[in-house]
Every structure is written in structure tokens, then in C-alpha cells.
Amino acid sequence: MARVAGVSVATVSRALRGLDRVSPQTREKVLRVAEDLHYVASPTATSLASGRTRVVAVVAPFLTRWFFATLVSAIEKSLRAQGHHVILFDLEDETYDQRLTLTQNMLWKRVDGIIMLNVPMTDEEVDLVERLGLPLVTIGSPVPGRACVRIDDRLAMRTAVEHLAGLGHTRIGYIGSVPANVAHIQTPQDRLEAFKASVVEFGLTCEPAWILNSDWTAEAAAQDSRDLLRGDDRPTAIVAASDEMAIGVRESARRLGMAVPGDLSIIGIDDYLLSGVLGLTTVRQDVAGQGHAAAELLLRALLHDDTITDEVVLPTELIVRESTGPLS
């Protein structure tokens, strides 16, 4: 390429990498020659020379779930636009209450940075990232001194409860509680605590038996809510900690011959991709927006050697559809 372009090898290298000290005319000439010769830089060679892989680790507890798949898609698009790529680490184990851990073999000399998707990190994992000198951005589960993108889960839950209270409901149930040892615990815990606080704030009733465990899938929620819905002592409305669980509760009510919202109002959180079609009232969060924001923060650290400690809190919004109505 240098011979054809009539410049030095060093000039070709600087032109291809977009560095200074190359005139626009020379850069254009080099790029034209590269195109004519079908030149493609070797990522491996570039990595060896620069010490950068241009690869970002995206770590998730459940890659098969809609929320995490949406985050990964948004992150990948943002990184790809800047010439970076994603390597996925799925920490899901065989059981819901355990997860795999990050190790040095996963990260060392393989990635330039990490985006953690709602995975509370252990002290050992934080120490590992510090030792490797990798920039870190988290989504949903903050790490002190590191950048984080999230919504206000407590405010989102308060919004959901306030909506039901405003419709006249005073007997409200909840689905989405998980055992304290579940690996993916931050969001479930925050939403449950906010629900309990909101019930007290608005002077509502929630019997202990109306707080239901579930593993945050529609299938599980349909099964987990069945006994409560067919009992005589039941709430007139249910808050689901996610839209997928809300869809499961709605299906369980349908199978029991209950009218929604006539016999039971149901609200979720997320605005799942099918929520609009199914007429589900929800508190919407911008999932893709969180992914884009996290990618932009990490790119800032990688491209500008910037230390990032920002906390970005994206807004939520009540979307009223057909699954909630006034107390009849």
C-alpha cells in the first residue's frame, strides 16, 4: 500500500488509524488505495500493537429474558457504530438462586471494558476489575465509584400503587417477591420494599398472603397466582413487579373466569413488547435507552481515557390501558 500510494509505511499506518500529522489529501489517497487493494486491517495484529481489543464484555444473569436481550441489542448497536464489539457472558447457573462468577480468565487481555446488566457484584469481582484496570459501567445495580445507568425503581413502584389507589382500590396484592439468596436480587428487593412503603403511604391493605413469590416469568406468575385468585379472601388489584408476571396473572384470572378489570385490576412495570397488544397498564421504562446510555459512558472512557463515575437515572412513565379500572 505504501508503494502504490507513494508514501511511507508509517504514513499509511497513521492515515488508516485516523491519527494527526497526515494531510487530508494524503489520507484520502491512502484510503482510496486501501479500497482498491481490498485491504482489511487484522484485528489481532492491531490488538497486539495497541494493547486494545476493541471488545467489551457484557455480563448478564439471564440472556434469554426480554429485558436483558433488549439491553444487549441496544449496547451492541451503540458499540458497533464506534468500531467496538461485544462478547457476552451469561452468568445463569442451573438454579435460579445461584449464578456463575466473573473470573480473570474471562476478562484478562480479552476485553477493554465491562458493562454489567443488573448483576450485584461481589467484593471479589470488584477487586478483579480494579486489578485489571478495566472501565466498568453497571445497569441497575450500582458499584460505588463506578458509572451506573438505572431507573428509580422505588418511584416506578410508587407510581403503580398510586394509580390503583386513585381508582379506589384498597385491597392490593403483589407478585414478584424472591428469596433473599437469589443471585439477581437488587431490582426485586427494591420494588418489593417500595410496594410495602407505598401501601402504608396510601393507607391500603395488603395481607401477607397476598405477597406472592415468583421467578419473574409469565408462566411462573400464572401458576403462582392461581390459588390466591380462586380464594374467597383476595385483593381487588395486583401489582406485578414486571409486565411478564402481570401477563401471567392476567392469564390465570382468565382461566378462572374472572373479568379484567371488572373483577381484578392488574398493573406491571416495564412496558414489555407485548404489553400494548394485550392492553396492559404499566409503568414504562426505556430499556433500550438504558443500554445506549451505558454504551456511551463506556465509549467515553475507552476513547478519551476518561474516568467515569456518572449516575444516569432515566425517567419512567405511567401508561394506562385496559387492565386497570375503577373499583366496582
Side-chain angles (χ1 to χ4, degrees), residues 48-99:
L48 290 172
S50 66
R52 294 287 184 92
T53 65
R54 300 183 76 84
V55 175
V56 171
V58 176
V59 184
F62 309 109
L63 278 178
T64 56
R65 307 272 174 106
W66 163 81
F67 176 81
F68 297 105
T70 303
L71 284 176
V72 170
S73 177
I75 290 167
E76 197 279 333
K77 287 181 175 66
S78 294
L79 293 176
R80 188 201 323 152
Q82 296 296 326
H84 287 68
H85 304 282
V86 164
I87 182 171
L88 296 174
F89 292 106
D90 183 354
L91 299 185
E92 186 171 8
D93 204 349
E94 297 300 323
T95 61
Y96 187 66
D97 61 351
Q98 296 181 17
R99 71 166 175 87

Side-chain angles (χ1 to χ4, degrees), residues 39-47:
Y39 172 79
V40 178
S42 166
T44 303
T46 302
S47 173

Side-chain angles (χ1 to χ4, degrees), residues 14-35:
R14 288 196 296 270
L16 292 176
R17 288 185 290 159
L19 301 180
D20 297 333
R21 305 195 308 279
V22 179
S23 70
Q25 296 83 0
T26 300
R27 189 186 312 280
E28 182 179 349
K29 183 177 182 180
V30 170
L31 293 176
R32 187 167 59 249
V33 169
E35 183 177 352

